[in-house]
Short mmCIF file of all heavy atoms in Angstrom, two decimals:
data_model
loop_
_atom_site.label_atom_id
_atom_site.label_comp_id
_atom_site.label_asym_id
_atom_site.label_seq_id
_atom_site.Cartn_x
_atom_site.Cartn_y
_atom_site.Cartn_z
N VAL A 168 -23.41 50.21 6.63
CA VAL A 168 -24.61 49.74 7.37
C VAL A 168 -24.27 49.45 8.84
O VAL A 168 -25.05 49.78 9.72
CB VAL A 168 -25.14 48.49 6.63
CG1 VAL A 168 -26.23 47.79 7.40
CG2 VAL A 168 -25.66 48.88 5.25
N ASP A 169 -23.09 48.81 9.02
CA ASP A 169 -22.72 48.49 10.39
C ASP A 169 -22.45 49.76 11.24
O ASP A 169 -22.84 49.85 12.40
CB ASP A 169 -21.42 47.67 10.43
CG ASP A 169 -21.63 46.27 9.84
OD1 ASP A 169 -22.81 45.79 9.79
OD2 ASP A 169 -20.65 45.65 9.35
N LEU A 170 -21.86 50.78 10.63
CA LEU A 170 -21.59 52.00 11.35
C LEU A 170 -22.91 52.76 11.62
O LEU A 170 -23.09 53.40 12.70
CB LEU A 170 -20.66 52.87 10.57
CG LEU A 170 -19.21 52.38 10.55
CD1 LEU A 170 -18.34 53.19 9.61
CD2 LEU A 170 -18.64 52.37 11.95
N ASP A 171 -23.85 52.72 10.66
CA ASP A 171 -25.11 53.37 10.90
C ASP A 171 -25.90 52.64 12.06
O ASP A 171 -26.55 53.33 12.85
CB ASP A 171 -26.02 53.32 9.62
CG ASP A 171 -25.65 54.38 8.62
OD1 ASP A 171 -24.97 55.39 9.09
OD2 ASP A 171 -25.98 54.29 7.47
N ARG A 172 -25.74 51.37 12.17
CA ARG A 172 -26.34 50.63 13.25
C ARG A 172 -25.66 50.99 14.56
O ARG A 172 -26.32 51.12 15.56
CB ARG A 172 -26.25 49.10 13.01
CG ARG A 172 -26.99 48.30 14.03
CD ARG A 172 -27.05 46.82 13.67
NE ARG A 172 -27.70 46.59 12.39
CZ ARG A 172 -27.10 46.02 11.31
NH1 ARG A 172 -25.89 45.61 11.38
NH2 ARG A 172 -27.84 45.84 10.25
N ALA A 173 -24.33 51.12 14.54
CA ALA A 173 -23.64 51.57 15.74
C ALA A 173 -24.07 52.96 16.16
O ALA A 173 -24.18 53.21 17.40
CB ALA A 173 -22.12 51.59 15.48
N VAL A 174 -24.37 53.88 15.22
CA VAL A 174 -24.87 55.20 15.57
C VAL A 174 -26.22 55.03 16.24
O VAL A 174 -26.53 55.66 17.24
CB VAL A 174 -24.98 56.12 14.32
CG1 VAL A 174 -25.79 57.33 14.63
CG2 VAL A 174 -23.57 56.51 13.86
N LYS A 175 -27.14 54.20 15.64
CA LYS A 175 -28.45 54.06 16.19
C LYS A 175 -28.45 53.46 17.62
O LYS A 175 -29.26 53.89 18.48
CB LYS A 175 -29.27 53.13 15.24
CG LYS A 175 -30.73 53.06 15.63
CD LYS A 175 -31.50 52.22 14.67
CE LYS A 175 -32.97 52.23 15.12
NZ LYS A 175 -33.79 51.51 14.15
N GLU A 176 -27.49 52.55 17.84
CA GLU A 176 -27.41 51.94 19.18
C GLU A 176 -26.50 52.72 20.13
O GLU A 176 -26.31 52.30 21.25
CB GLU A 176 -26.89 50.53 19.02
CG GLU A 176 -27.85 49.59 18.28
CD GLU A 176 -27.23 48.29 17.90
OE1 GLU A 176 -26.02 48.08 18.23
OE2 GLU A 176 -27.89 47.43 17.33
N GLU A 177 -25.86 53.78 19.59
CA GLU A 177 -24.91 54.63 20.33
C GLU A 177 -23.75 53.73 20.87
O GLU A 177 -23.32 53.87 22.03
CB GLU A 177 -25.58 55.44 21.50
CG GLU A 177 -26.55 56.41 21.00
CD GLU A 177 -27.07 57.29 22.09
OE1 GLU A 177 -26.24 57.85 22.86
OE2 GLU A 177 -28.32 57.44 22.17
N ARG A 178 -23.31 52.88 20.06
CA ARG A 178 -22.22 51.91 20.46
C ARG A 178 -20.91 52.34 19.76
O ARG A 178 -20.92 52.60 18.54
CB ARG A 178 -22.65 50.56 19.91
CG ARG A 178 -21.69 49.45 20.22
CD ARG A 178 -22.18 48.07 19.80
NE ARG A 178 -22.97 48.05 18.59
CZ ARG A 178 -22.49 47.94 17.36
NH1 ARG A 178 -21.22 47.84 17.17
NH2 ARG A 178 -23.32 47.93 16.29
N ILE A 179 -19.87 52.38 20.49
CA ILE A 179 -18.53 52.72 19.91
C ILE A 179 -17.74 51.43 19.74
O ILE A 179 -17.58 50.64 20.74
CB ILE A 179 -17.80 53.74 20.83
CG1 ILE A 179 -18.55 55.00 20.93
CG2 ILE A 179 -16.39 53.90 20.33
CD1 ILE A 179 -17.98 56.04 21.83
N PRO A 180 -17.28 51.12 18.62
CA PRO A 180 -16.59 49.85 18.34
C PRO A 180 -15.21 49.87 19.02
O PRO A 180 -14.63 50.92 19.36
CB PRO A 180 -16.38 49.79 16.82
CG PRO A 180 -16.77 51.11 16.28
CD PRO A 180 -17.50 51.88 17.31
N ALA A 181 -14.71 48.69 19.23
CA ALA A 181 -13.36 48.55 19.88
C ALA A 181 -12.21 48.81 18.94
O ALA A 181 -11.12 49.29 19.34
CB ALA A 181 -13.24 47.16 20.49
N ASP A 182 -12.38 48.53 17.69
CA ASP A 182 -11.35 48.72 16.69
C ASP A 182 -11.09 50.22 16.40
O ASP A 182 -12.00 50.91 16.07
CB ASP A 182 -11.76 48.05 15.38
CG ASP A 182 -10.64 48.00 14.35
OD1 ASP A 182 -9.53 48.44 14.63
OD2 ASP A 182 -10.99 47.62 13.18
N PRO A 183 -9.93 50.66 16.57
CA PRO A 183 -9.58 52.11 16.37
C PRO A 183 -9.90 52.57 14.90
O PRO A 183 -10.22 53.73 14.75
CB PRO A 183 -8.09 52.26 16.67
CG PRO A 183 -7.71 51.04 17.35
CD PRO A 183 -8.65 49.97 17.04
N VAL A 184 -9.72 51.69 13.92
CA VAL A 184 -10.00 52.09 12.55
C VAL A 184 -11.55 52.32 12.43
O VAL A 184 -11.92 53.32 11.78
CB VAL A 184 -9.55 51.00 11.56
CG1 VAL A 184 -9.98 51.31 10.15
CG2 VAL A 184 -8.04 50.78 11.66
N LEU A 185 -12.33 51.49 12.98
CA LEU A 185 -13.76 51.66 13.00
C LEU A 185 -14.20 52.91 13.81
O LEU A 185 -15.19 53.56 13.46
CB LEU A 185 -14.50 50.41 13.47
CG LEU A 185 -14.46 49.20 12.56
CD1 LEU A 185 -15.13 48.02 13.23
CD2 LEU A 185 -15.03 49.50 11.23
N VAL A 186 -13.49 53.18 14.82
CA VAL A 186 -13.82 54.38 15.64
C VAL A 186 -13.59 55.63 14.77
O VAL A 186 -14.44 56.55 14.81
CB VAL A 186 -12.96 54.42 16.94
CG1 VAL A 186 -13.10 55.78 17.61
CG2 VAL A 186 -13.37 53.31 17.88
N GLU A 187 -12.49 55.66 14.07
CA GLU A 187 -12.27 56.82 13.20
C GLU A 187 -13.28 56.90 12.07
O GLU A 187 -13.81 57.96 11.74
CB GLU A 187 -10.81 56.71 12.58
CG GLU A 187 -10.46 57.93 11.77
CD GLU A 187 -10.57 59.25 12.53
OE1 GLU A 187 -10.24 59.27 13.68
OE2 GLU A 187 -11.00 60.23 11.89
#
Side-chain angles (χ1 to χ4, degrees):
V168 171
D169 293 338
L170 290 172
D171 281 341
R172 188 173 299 120
V174 167
K175 186 174 182 179
E176 297 169 358
E177 296 188 50
R178 178 177 38 87
I179 297 177
D182 186 9
V184 174
L185 288 178
V186 170
E187 184 56 38

